[in-house]
mmCIF file of all heavy atoms in Angstrom:
data_model
loop_
_atom_site.group_PDB
_atom_site.id
_atom_site.type_symbol
_atom_site.label_atom_id
_atom_site.label_comp_id
_atom_site.label_asym_id
_atom_site.label_seq_id
_atom_site.Cartn_x
_atom_site.Cartn_y
_atom_site.Cartn_z
ATOM 1 N N PRO A 565 -31.114 8.168 38.929
ATOM 2 C CA PRO A 565 -31.873 7.341 39.876
ATOM 3 C C PRO A 565 -31.572 5.859 39.685
ATOM 4 O O PRO A 565 -30.768 5.459 38.839
ATOM 5 C CB PRO A 565 -33.325 7.657 39.509
ATOM 6 C CG PRO A 565 -33.265 7.936 38.042
ATOM 7 C CD PRO A 565 -31.935 8.581 37.787
ATOM 8 N N ARG A 566 -32.263 5.020 40.469
ATOM 9 C CA ARG A 566 -32.016 3.578 40.402
ATOM 10 C C ARG A 566 -32.408 2.981 39.065
ATOM 11 O O ARG A 566 -31.864 1.960 38.653
ATOM 12 C CB ARG A 566 -32.791 2.871 41.516
ATOM 13 C CG ARG A 566 -32.221 3.097 42.902
ATOM 14 C CD ARG A 566 -32.916 2.231 43.912
ATOM 15 N NE ARG A 566 -34.327 2.555 44.029
ATOM 16 C CZ ARG A 566 -35.225 1.794 44.660
ATOM 17 N NH1 ARG A 566 -34.850 0.657 45.194
ATOM 18 N NH2 ARG A 566 -36.475 2.175 44.736
ATOM 19 N N VAL A 567 -33.336 3.612 38.376
ATOM 20 C CA VAL A 567 -33.797 3.066 37.099
ATOM 21 C C VAL A 567 -32.820 3.375 35.962
ATOM 22 O O VAL A 567 -32.906 2.779 34.890
ATOM 23 C CB VAL A 567 -35.204 3.622 36.765
ATOM 24 C CG1 VAL A 567 -35.118 5.081 36.350
ATOM 25 C CG2 VAL A 567 -35.861 2.801 35.669
ATOM 26 N N PHE A 568 -31.870 4.270 36.209
ATOM 27 C CA PHE A 568 -30.958 4.657 35.135
ATOM 28 C C PHE A 568 -30.166 3.492 34.551
ATOM 29 O O PHE A 568 -29.976 3.434 33.331
ATOM 30 C CB PHE A 568 -29.994 5.745 35.623
ATOM 31 C CG PHE A 568 -28.926 6.091 34.630
ATOM 32 C CD1 PHE A 568 -29.231 6.800 33.472
ATOM 33 C CD2 PHE A 568 -27.613 5.681 34.825
ATOM 34 C CE1 PHE A 568 -28.254 7.103 32.552
ATOM 35 C CE2 PHE A 568 -26.623 5.979 33.906
ATOM 36 C CZ PHE A 568 -26.947 6.691 32.769
ATOM 37 N N PRO A 569 -29.651 2.547 35.352
ATOM 38 C CA PRO A 569 -28.914 1.427 34.745
ATOM 39 C C PRO A 569 -29.712 0.666 33.699
ATOM 40 O O PRO A 569 -29.131 0.127 32.750
ATOM 41 C CB PRO A 569 -28.579 0.540 35.948
ATOM 42 C CG PRO A 569 -28.528 1.479 37.105
ATOM 43 C CD PRO A 569 -29.605 2.490 36.828
ATOM 44 N N VAL A 570 -31.035 0.616 33.861
ATOM 45 C CA VAL A 570 -31.865 -0.070 32.867
ATOM 46 C C VAL A 570 -31.814 0.680 31.541
ATOM 47 O O VAL A 570 -31.596 0.097 30.468
ATOM 48 C CB VAL A 570 -33.319 -0.186 33.363
ATOM 49 C CG1 VAL A 570 -34.165 -0.944 32.350
ATOM 50 C CG2 VAL A 570 -33.363 -0.870 34.722
ATOM 51 N N LEU A 571 -32.000 2.017 31.605
ATOM 52 C CA LEU A 571 -31.938 2.828 30.386
ATOM 53 C C LEU A 571 -30.542 2.765 29.770
ATOM 54 O O LEU A 571 -30.397 2.641 28.549
ATOM 55 C CB LEU A 571 -32.307 4.276 30.713
ATOM 56 C CG LEU A 571 -32.283 5.268 29.539
ATOM 57 C CD1 LEU A 571 -33.283 4.860 28.476
ATOM 58 C CD2 LEU A 571 -32.558 6.686 30.036
ATOM 59 N N TRP A 572 -29.521 2.796 30.608
ATOM 60 C CA TRP A 572 -28.147 2.751 30.109
ATOM 61 C C TRP A 572 -27.874 1.430 29.393
ATOM 62 O O TRP A 572 -27.207 1.388 28.366
ATOM 63 C CB TRP A 572 -27.183 2.967 31.263
ATOM 64 C CG TRP A 572 -25.739 2.893 30.876
ATOM 65 C CD1 TRP A 572 -24.840 1.935 31.216
ATOM 66 C CD2 TRP A 572 -25.031 3.815 30.052
ATOM 67 N NE1 TRP A 572 -23.617 2.193 30.674
ATOM 68 C CE2 TRP A 572 -23.697 3.348 29.947
ATOM 69 C CE3 TRP A 572 -25.378 4.990 29.387
ATOM 70 C CZ2 TRP A 572 -22.730 4.012 29.203
ATOM 71 C CZ3 TRP A 572 -24.413 5.643 28.655
ATOM 72 C CH2 TRP A 572 -23.112 5.163 28.567
ATOM 73 N N THR A 573 -28.400 0.329 29.941
ATOM 74 C CA THR A 573 -28.217 -0.980 29.312
ATOM 75 C C THR A 573 -28.843 -1.012 27.924
ATOM 76 O O THR A 573 -28.309 -1.640 27.001
ATOM 77 C CB THR A 573 -28.836 -2.085 30.188
ATOM 78 O OG1 THR A 573 -28.207 -2.064 31.473
ATOM 79 C CG2 THR A 573 -28.629 -3.465 29.565
ATOM 80 N N LEU A 574 -29.941 -0.281 27.751
ATOM 81 C CA LEU A 574 -30.636 -0.288 26.468
ATOM 82 C C LEU A 574 -29.916 0.549 25.414
ATOM 83 O O LEU A 574 -29.834 0.151 24.250
ATOM 84 C CB LEU A 574 -32.072 0.233 26.647
ATOM 85 C CG LEU A 574 -33.013 -0.640 27.488
ATOM 86 C CD1 LEU A 574 -34.326 0.088 27.729
ATOM 87 C CD2 LEU A 574 -33.272 -1.971 26.801
ATOM 88 N N VAL A 575 -29.399 1.705 25.823
ATOM 89 C CA VAL A 575 -28.871 2.639 24.828
ATOM 90 C C VAL A 575 -27.362 2.556 24.635
ATOM 91 O O VAL A 575 -26.852 2.910 23.578
ATOM 92 C CB VAL A 575 -29.257 4.098 25.178
ATOM 93 C CG1 VAL A 575 -30.754 4.243 25.277
ATOM 94 C CG2 VAL A 575 -28.596 4.558 26.468
ATOM 95 N N SER A 576 -26.627 2.093 25.637
ATOM 96 C CA SER A 576 -25.161 2.133 25.551
ATOM 97 C C SER A 576 -24.583 1.335 24.383
ATOM 98 O O SER A 576 -23.574 1.763 23.808
ATOM 99 C CB SER A 576 -24.536 1.667 26.871
ATOM 100 O OG SER A 576 -24.917 0.333 27.166
ATOM 101 N N PRO A 577 -25.174 0.191 23.983
ATOM 102 C CA PRO A 577 -24.583 -0.518 22.839
ATOM 103 C C PRO A 577 -24.622 0.263 21.535
ATOM 104 O O PRO A 577 -23.870 -0.047 20.615
ATOM 105 C CB PRO A 577 -25.457 -1.787 22.735
ATOM 106 C CG PRO A 577 -26.031 -1.971 24.094
ATOM 107 C CD PRO A 577 -26.259 -0.585 24.597
ATOM 108 N N PHE A 578 -25.473 1.282 21.467
ATOM 109 C CA PHE A 578 -25.603 2.052 20.235
ATOM 110 C C PHE A 578 -24.718 3.305 20.241
ATOM 111 O O PHE A 578 -24.747 4.081 19.298
ATOM 112 C CB PHE A 578 -27.062 2.461 20.022
ATOM 113 C CG PHE A 578 -27.992 1.289 19.848
ATOM 114 C CD1 PHE A 578 -28.565 0.662 20.944
ATOM 115 C CD2 PHE A 578 -28.271 0.792 18.582
ATOM 116 C CE1 PHE A 578 -29.411 -0.422 20.787
ATOM 117 C CE2 PHE A 578 -29.113 -0.287 18.418
ATOM 118 C CZ PHE A 578 -29.686 -0.902 19.524
ATOM 119 N N ILE A 579 -23.954 3.491 21.301
ATOM 120 C CA ILE A 579 -23.107 4.671 21.426
ATOM 121 C C ILE A 579 -21.666 4.276 21.162
ATOM 122 O O ILE A 579 -21.172 3.281 21.686
ATOM 123 C CB ILE A 579 -23.252 5.299 22.830
ATOM 124 C CG1 ILE A 579 -24.714 5.687 23.084
ATOM 125 C CG2 ILE A 579 -22.361 6.522 22.971
ATOM 126 C CD1 ILE A 579 -24.975 6.189 24.488
ATOM 127 N N ASP A 580 -20.993 5.061 20.338
ATOM 128 C CA ASP A 580 -19.607 4.788 19.986
ATOM 129 C C ASP A 580 -18.717 4.778 21.227
ATOM 130 O O ASP A 580 -18.949 5.515 22.186
ATOM 131 C CB ASP A 580 -19.132 5.865 19.010
ATOM 132 C CG ASP A 580 -17.706 5.644 18.566
ATOM 133 O OD1 ASP A 580 -17.479 4.743 17.738
ATOM 134 O OD2 ASP A 580 -16.827 6.366 19.052
ATOM 135 N N ASP A 581 -17.680 3.924 21.205
ATOM 136 C CA ASP A 581 -16.785 3.801 22.361
ATOM 137 C C ASP A 581 -16.120 5.124 22.698
ATOM 138 O O ASP A 581 -15.976 5.481 23.880
ATOM 139 C CB ASP A 581 -15.717 2.733 22.090
ATOM 140 C CG ASP A 581 -16.302 1.327 22.095
ATOM 141 O OD1 ASP A 581 -17.391 1.153 22.670
ATOM 142 O OD2 ASP A 581 -15.670 0.418 21.526
ATOM 143 N N ASN A 582 -15.684 5.868 21.685
ATOM 144 C CA ASN A 582 -15.055 7.164 21.940
ATOM 145 C C ASN A 582 -16.016 8.124 22.624
ATOM 146 O O ASN A 582 -15.631 8.884 23.514
ATOM 147 C CB ASN A 582 -14.556 7.779 20.626
ATOM 148 C CG ASN A 582 -13.382 7.015 20.044
ATOM 149 O OD1 ASN A 582 -12.638 6.361 20.765
ATOM 150 N ND2 ASN A 582 -13.219 7.077 18.728
ATOM 151 N N THR A 583 -17.272 8.080 22.216
ATOM 152 C CA THR A 583 -18.285 8.941 22.839
ATOM 153 C C THR A 583 -18.571 8.494 24.265
ATOM 154 O O THR A 583 -18.719 9.322 25.169
ATOM 155 C CB THR A 583 -19.579 8.918 22.005
ATOM 156 O OG1 THR A 583 -19.287 9.304 20.661
ATOM 157 C CG2 THR A 583 -20.617 9.862 22.592
ATOM 158 N N ARG A 584 -18.618 7.183 24.477
ATOM 159 C CA ARG A 584 -18.945 6.657 25.795
ATOM 160 C C ARG A 584 -17.912 7.067 26.842
ATOM 161 O O ARG A 584 -18.244 7.246 28.023
ATOM 162 C CB ARG A 584 -19.033 5.125 25.723
ATOM 163 C CG ARG A 584 -20.163 4.537 26.552
ATOM 164 C CD ARG A 584 -20.194 3.044 26.441
ATOM 165 N NE ARG A 584 -20.325 2.592 25.068
ATOM 166 C CZ ARG A 584 -20.272 1.322 24.717
ATOM 167 N NH1 ARG A 584 -20.078 0.395 25.625
ATOM 168 N NH2 ARG A 584 -20.409 0.975 23.448
ATOM 169 N N ARG A 585 -16.669 7.210 26.423
ATOM 170 C CA ARG A 585 -15.615 7.589 27.363
ATOM 171 C C ARG A 585 -15.756 9.036 27.844
ATOM 172 O O ARG A 585 -15.088 9.444 28.798
ATOM 173 C CB ARG A 585 -14.244 7.392 26.710
ATOM 174 C CG ARG A 585 -13.819 5.938 26.634
ATOM 175 C CD ARG A 585 -12.341 5.831 26.265
ATOM 176 N NE ARG A 585 -12.122 6.130 24.866
ATOM 177 C CZ ARG A 585 -12.092 5.200 23.905
ATOM 178 N NH1 ARG A 585 -12.280 3.938 24.217
ATOM 179 N NH2 ARG A 585 -11.875 5.542 22.648
ATOM 180 N N LYS A 586 -16.630 9.803 27.200
ATOM 181 C CA LYS A 586 -16.825 11.192 27.589
ATOM 182 C C LYS A 586 -17.955 11.359 28.604
ATOM 183 O O LYS A 586 -18.275 12.481 28.980
ATOM 184 C CB LYS A 586 -17.124 12.033 26.337
ATOM 185 C CG LYS A 586 -16.008 11.965 25.292
ATOM 186 C CD LYS A 586 -16.426 12.624 23.996
ATOM 187 C CE LYS A 586 -15.359 12.459 22.914
ATOM 188 N NZ LYS A 586 -15.770 13.023 21.618
ATOM 189 N N PHE A 587 -18.563 10.251 29.027
ATOM 190 C CA PHE A 587 -19.692 10.309 29.946
ATOM 191 C C PHE A 587 -19.197 10.354 31.390
ATOM 192 O O PHE A 587 -18.320 9.595 31.783
ATOM 193 C CB PHE A 587 -20.587 9.081 29.769
ATOM 194 C CG PHE A 587 -21.453 9.118 28.537
ATOM 195 C CD1 PHE A 587 -21.002 9.678 27.366
ATOM 196 C CD2 PHE A 587 -22.732 8.574 28.543
ATOM 197 C CE1 PHE A 587 -21.786 9.714 26.228
ATOM 198 C CE2 PHE A 587 -23.523 8.594 27.418
ATOM 199 C CZ PHE A 587 -23.056 9.166 26.257
ATOM 200 N N LEU A 588 -19.774 11.260 32.178
ATOM 201 C CA LEU A 588 -19.529 11.331 33.618
ATOM 202 C C LEU A 588 -20.883 11.243 34.310
ATOM 203 O O LEU A 588 -21.764 12.065 34.061
ATOM 204 C CB LEU A 588 -18.818 12.631 33.991
ATOM 205 C CG LEU A 588 -17.406 12.822 33.410
ATOM 206 C CD1 LEU A 588 -16.901 14.227 33.710
ATOM 207 C CD2 LEU A 588 -16.454 11.797 33.988
ATOM 208 N N ILE A 589 -21.054 10.240 35.154
ATOM 209 C CA ILE A 589 -22.361 9.959 35.755
ATOM 210 C C ILE A 589 -22.289 10.180 37.256
ATOM 211 O O ILE A 589 -21.396 9.653 37.934
ATOM 212 C CB ILE A 589 -22.809 8.516 35.438
ATOM 213 C CG1 ILE A 589 -22.837 8.302 33.915
ATOM 214 C CG2 ILE A 589 -24.171 8.227 36.041
ATOM 215 C CD1 ILE A 589 -23.088 6.871 33.500
ATOM 216 N N TYR A 590 -23.232 10.967 37.787
ATOM 217 C CA TYR A 590 -23.305 11.269 39.214
ATOM 218 C C TYR A 590 -24.674 10.853 39.752
ATOM 219 O O TYR A 590 -25.707 11.213 39.184
ATOM 220 C CB TYR A 590 -23.112 12.763 39.470
ATOM 221 C CG TYR A 590 -21.800 13.313 38.960
ATOM 222 C CD1 TYR A 590 -21.695 13.812 37.659
ATOM 223 C CD2 TYR A 590 -20.674 13.352 39.769
ATOM 224 C CE1 TYR A 590 -20.499 14.325 37.179
ATOM 225 C CE2 TYR A 590 -19.470 13.861 39.306
ATOM 226 C CZ TYR A 590 -19.389 14.343 38.010
ATOM 227 O OH TYR A 590 -18.207 14.851 37.543
ATOM 228 N N ALA A 591 -24.675 10.096 40.830
ATOM 229 C CA ALA A 591 -25.930 9.701 41.482
ATOM 230 C C ALA A 591 -26.227 10.676 42.614
ATOM 231 O O ALA A 591 -25.308 11.204 43.257
ATOM 232 C CB ALA A 591 -25.825 8.282 42.014
ATOM 233 N N GLY A 592 -27.507 10.894 42.855
ATOM 234 C CA GLY A 592 -27.908 11.755 43.961
ATOM 235 C C GLY A 592 -27.291 13.142 43.861
ATOM 236 O O GLY A 592 -27.327 13.797 42.825
ATOM 237 N N ASN A 593 -26.689 13.578 44.985
ATOM 238 C CA ASN A 593 -26.060 14.894 45.025
ATOM 239 C C ASN A 593 -24.542 14.825 44.903
ATOM 240 O O ASN A 593 -23.835 15.763 45.303
ATOM 241 C CB ASN A 593 -26.441 15.605 46.338
ATOM 242 C CG ASN A 593 -27.924 15.934 46.402
ATOM 243 O OD1 ASN A 593 -28.536 16.276 45.387
ATOM 244 N ND2 ASN A 593 -28.512 15.808 47.588
ATOM 245 N N ASP A 594 -24.038 13.740 44.352
ATOM 246 C CA ASP A 594 -22.585 13.591 44.205
ATOM 247 C C ASP A 594 -21.981 14.691 43.338
ATOM 248 O O ASP A 594 -20.798 15.010 43.474
ATOM 249 C CB ASP A 594 -22.249 12.224 43.600
ATOM 250 C CG ASP A 594 -22.562 11.078 44.549
ATOM 251 O OD1 ASP A 594 -22.829 11.369 45.735
ATOM 252 O OD2 ASP A 594 -22.545 9.916 44.114
ATOM 253 N N TYR A 595 -22.787 15.251 42.448
ATOM 254 C CA TYR A 595 -22.268 16.277 41.552
ATOM 255 C C TYR A 595 -21.843 17.536 42.294
ATOM 256 O O TYR A 595 -21.119 18.381 41.750
ATOM 257 C CB TYR A 595 -23.312 16.629 40.490
ATOM 258 C CG TYR A 595 -24.521 17.368 41.019
ATOM 259 C CD1 TYR A 595 -24.570 18.764 41.026
ATOM 260 C CD2 TYR A 595 -25.628 16.674 41.507
ATOM 261 C CE1 TYR A 595 -25.676 19.446 41.499
ATOM 262 C CE2 TYR A 595 -26.736 17.336 41.983
ATOM 263 C CZ TYR A 595 -26.759 18.725 41.982
ATOM 264 O OH TYR A 595 -27.857 19.393 42.453
ATOM 265 N N GLN A 596 -22.284 17.674 43.561
ATOM 266 C CA GLN A 596 -21.947 18.863 44.335
ATOM 267 C C GLN A 596 -20.613 18.735 45.060
ATOM 268 O O GLN A 596 -20.091 19.711 45.591
ATOM 269 C CB GLN A 596 -23.056 19.151 45.353
ATOM 270 C CG GLN A 596 -24.398 19.458 44.714
ATOM 271 C CD GLN A 596 -25.495 19.656 45.742
ATOM 272 O OE1 GLN A 596 -25.326 19.318 46.920
ATOM 273 N NE2 GLN A 596 -26.625 20.199 45.302
ATOM 274 N N GLY A 597 -20.045 17.524 45.082
ATOM 275 C CA GLY A 597 -18.811 17.284 45.805
ATOM 276 C C GLY A 597 -17.581 17.441 44.944
ATOM 277 O O GLY A 597 -17.632 17.926 43.804
ATOM 278 N N PRO A 598 -16.414 17.019 45.469
ATOM 279 C CA PRO A 598 -15.157 17.089 44.699
ATOM 280 C C PRO A 598 -15.256 16.271 43.417
ATOM 281 O O PRO A 598 -15.822 15.183 43.407
ATOM 282 C CB PRO A 598 -14.123 16.495 45.672
ATOM 283 C CG PRO A 598 -14.733 16.647 47.030
ATOM 284 C CD PRO A 598 -16.214 16.511 46.833
ATOM 285 N N GLY A 599 -14.683 16.812 42.345
ATOM 286 C CA GLY A 599 -14.761 16.127 41.061
ATOM 287 C C GLY A 599 -16.111 16.264 40.395
ATOM 288 O O GLY A 599 -16.390 15.591 39.408
ATOM 289 N N GLY A 600 -16.956 17.134 40.953
ATOM 290 C CA GLY A 600 -18.312 17.284 40.445
ATOM 291 C C GLY A 600 -18.444 18.407 39.434
ATOM 292 O O GLY A 600 -17.520 18.717 38.670
ATOM 293 N N LEU A 601 -19.588 19.062 39.481
ATOM 294 C CA LEU A 601 -19.962 20.034 38.458
ATOM 295 C C LEU A 601 -19.009 21.227 38.401
ATOM 296 O O LEU A 601 -18.719 21.751 37.327
ATOM 297 C CB LEU A 601 -21.395 20.504 38.726
ATOM 298 C CG LEU A 601 -22.206 21.021 37.534
ATOM 299 C CD1 LEU A 601 -22.242 19.985 36.441
ATOM 300 C CD2 LEU A 601 -23.622 21.384 37.977
ATOM 301 N N LEU A 602 -18.501 21.646 39.572
ATOM 302 C CA LEU A 602 -17.646 22.825 39.610
ATOM 303 C C LEU A 602 -16.317 22.619 38.895
ATOM 304 O O LEU A 602 -15.624 23.591 38.576
ATOM 305 C CB LEU A 602 -17.382 23.230 41.065
ATOM 306 C CG LEU A 602 -18.539 23.948 41.774
ATOM 307 C CD1 LEU A 602 -18.218 24.181 43.234
ATOM 308 C CD2 LEU A 602 -18.852 25.274 41.078
ATOM 309 N N ASP A 603 -15.938 21.382 38.642
ATOM 310 C CA ASP A 603 -14.705 21.124 37.905
ATOM 311 C C ASP A 603 -14.856 21.433 36.421
ATOM 312 O O ASP A 603 -13.849 21.590 35.712
ATOM 313 C CB ASP A 603 -14.273 19.658 38.065
ATOM 314 C CG ASP A 603 -13.673 19.389 39.430
ATOM 315 O OD1 ASP A 603 -13.779 20.270 40.306
ATOM 316 O OD2 ASP A 603 -13.101 18.302 39.630
#
Side-chain angles (χ1 to χ4, degrees):
R566 288 188 297 167
V567 73
F568 174 72
V570 182
L571 180 61
W572 178 249
T573 301
L574 294 172
V575 302
S576 61
F578 297 87
I579 301 174
D580 181 75
D581 289 340
N582 291 334
T583 304
R584 219 180 303 175
R585 284 192 286 267
K586 301 171 185 177
F587 284 36
L588 296 173
I589 303 172
Y590 301 90
N593 294 324
D594 292 349
Y595 69 93
Q596 297 176 346
L601 206 55
L602 284 175
D603 285 11

